[in-house]
Amino acid sequence: MATNKTEEQQQQSQAGRHQEVGHKSLLQSDALYQYILETSVYPREPEPMKELREITAKHPWNLMTTSADEGQFLNMLLKLINAKNTMEIGVYTGYSLLATALALPDDGKIFAMDINRENYELGLPVIQKAGVAHKIDFKEGPAMPVLDELVQDNHGSFDFIFVDADKDNYLNYHKRLIELVKVGGLIGYDNTLWNGSVVAPPDAPLRKYVRYYRDFVLELNKALAVDPRIEICMLPVGDGITLCRRLK
């Protein structure tokens, strides 16, 4: 009987865990994550963000989007730090971009970069309808050449920078972004817990893209932890976000 009970408990435990590797929550209980969404996030989610979230859910690459709870977090964070001039690397359909635009004052600015304009234009009508498109300066193409130009004469000009792009370039981005964000400003690196794979054993059954980028995420996390120019806070929101506050 004891063996049967143990097996039943294991089955119940597995049932409460996220089976989808790309799930946007690191919580072990689907019910608990749903409680957070239904109690705190969805009732307060601005209508434009809800509309864009539902549009994005129909896109074949929807796992790339920022989760609703992380969108809410970013929106409040930007208000708390009174951000006005921001940057976003990796836009996709623009859910986090919209969360940012809604949080900024009317004369606030977001310099946004992505290699795919088509995805951005999927969400653009919603952004325009929300009345915040004038805050966004979107540039299509790789971010690195643009950053190399910006660091020449834009030192310390950004209040907040959000990065949700190619993980194999995160460290390269950091070398440049630390010069662009102001002292006391924040850089947010998304996916720093990378589907929980950062603690997965070597033989864990991971999707190919998760396994490929895991080493880059681990390298970034180690580098940020010892960077004397910043203080950091790693949060298990969405797929993990690490906030870096520039000290000097």
Side-chain angles (χ1 to χ4, degrees):
M1 292 295 292
T3 301
N4 291 337
K5 185 176 181 181
T6 300
E7 290 176 354
E8 181 180 352
Q9 289 173 335
Q10 290 176 343
Q11 290 174 355
Q12 290 176 344
S13 176
Q14 287 299 319
R17 294 174 184 269
H18 295 308
Q19 301 302 314
E20 184 65 41
V21 174
H23 202 289
K24 278 295 182 177
S25 171
L26 294 166
L27 292 175
Q28 292 184 334
S29 166
D30 282 321
L32 183 56
Y33 183 51
Q34 198 63 31
Y35 174 81
I36 292 172
L37 293 175
E38 294 179 357
T39 304
S40 172
V41 181
Y42 292 159
R44 297 296 188 97
E45 186 179 33
E47 192 59 34
M49 291 183 65
K50 177 183 178 182
E51 183 179 355
L52 183 49
R53 174 169 56 82
E54 291 175 346
I55 290 173
T56 305
K58 300 173 184 176
H59 193 275
W61 301 342
N62 58 54
L63 284 178
M64 291 171 55
T65 192
T66 300
S67 63
D69 53 323
E70 186 174 9
Q72 184 185 60
F73 169 74
L74 290 173
N75 183 272
M76 179 173 285
L77 177 66
L78 288 158
K79 293 173 182 175
L80 288 171
I81 66 173
N82 294 314
K84 187 173 181 180
N85 192 32
T86 72
M87 179 191 298
E88 183 162 330
I89 303 176
V91 172
Y92 186 40
T93 61
Y95 187 80
S96 57
L97 187 65
L98 179 56
T100 300
L102 290 171
L104 298 184
D106 192 60
D107 59 345
K109 296 296 179 184
I110 314 166
F111 183 50
M113 291 177 278
D114 198 288
I115 59 173
N116 191 320
R117 176 179 289 274
E118 184 178 347
N119 289 335
Y120 167 65
E121 290 181 346
L122 185 66
L124 185 55
V126 180
I127 294 172
Q128 291 171 333
K129 187 166 63 173
V132 293
H134 67 282
K135 302 179 186 180
I136 300 168
D137 177 12
F138 178 83
K139 185 174 183 63
E140 183 181 27
M144 204 68 67
V146 180
L147 296 178
D148 284 336
E149 289 183 16
L150 287 175
V151 293
Q152 296 179 20
D153 54 9
N154 288 275
H155 283 231
S157 58
F158 291 90
D159 304 312
F160 179 78
I161 302 172
F162 183 60
V163 185
D164 184 7
D166 42 333
K167 317 309 168 196
D168 46 346
N169 261 325
Y170 267 28
L171 265 181
N172 291 324
Y173 291 147
H174 184 66
K175 292 173 184 177
R176 295 155 175 80
L177 298 182
I178 195 65
E179 301 293 333
L180 292 172
V181 72
K182 71 178 185 181
V183 173
L186 294 176
I187 306 171
Y189 291 103
D190 202 21
N191 307 114
T192 51
L193 294 177
W194 199 228
N195 296 265
S197 68
V198 290
V199 294
D203 60 347
L206 303 174
R207 291 180 178 180
K208 289 183 179 179
Y209 82 93
V210 174
R211 183 175 299 280
Y212 174 76
Y213 287 114
R214 177 176 60 172
D215 288 344
F216 293 106
V217 174
L218 287 169
E219 186 180 10
L220 171 78
N221 291 341
K222 289 178 182 178
L224 295 181
V226 297
D227 190 335
R229 300 167 297 179
I230 57 174
E231 56 183 354
I232 68 172
C233 179
M234 180 183 285
L235 298 169
V237 177
D239 191 27
I241 180 173
T242 299
L243 298 177
C244 307
R245 179 175 177 268
R246 183 180 175 185
L247 297 174
K248 54 185 179 180

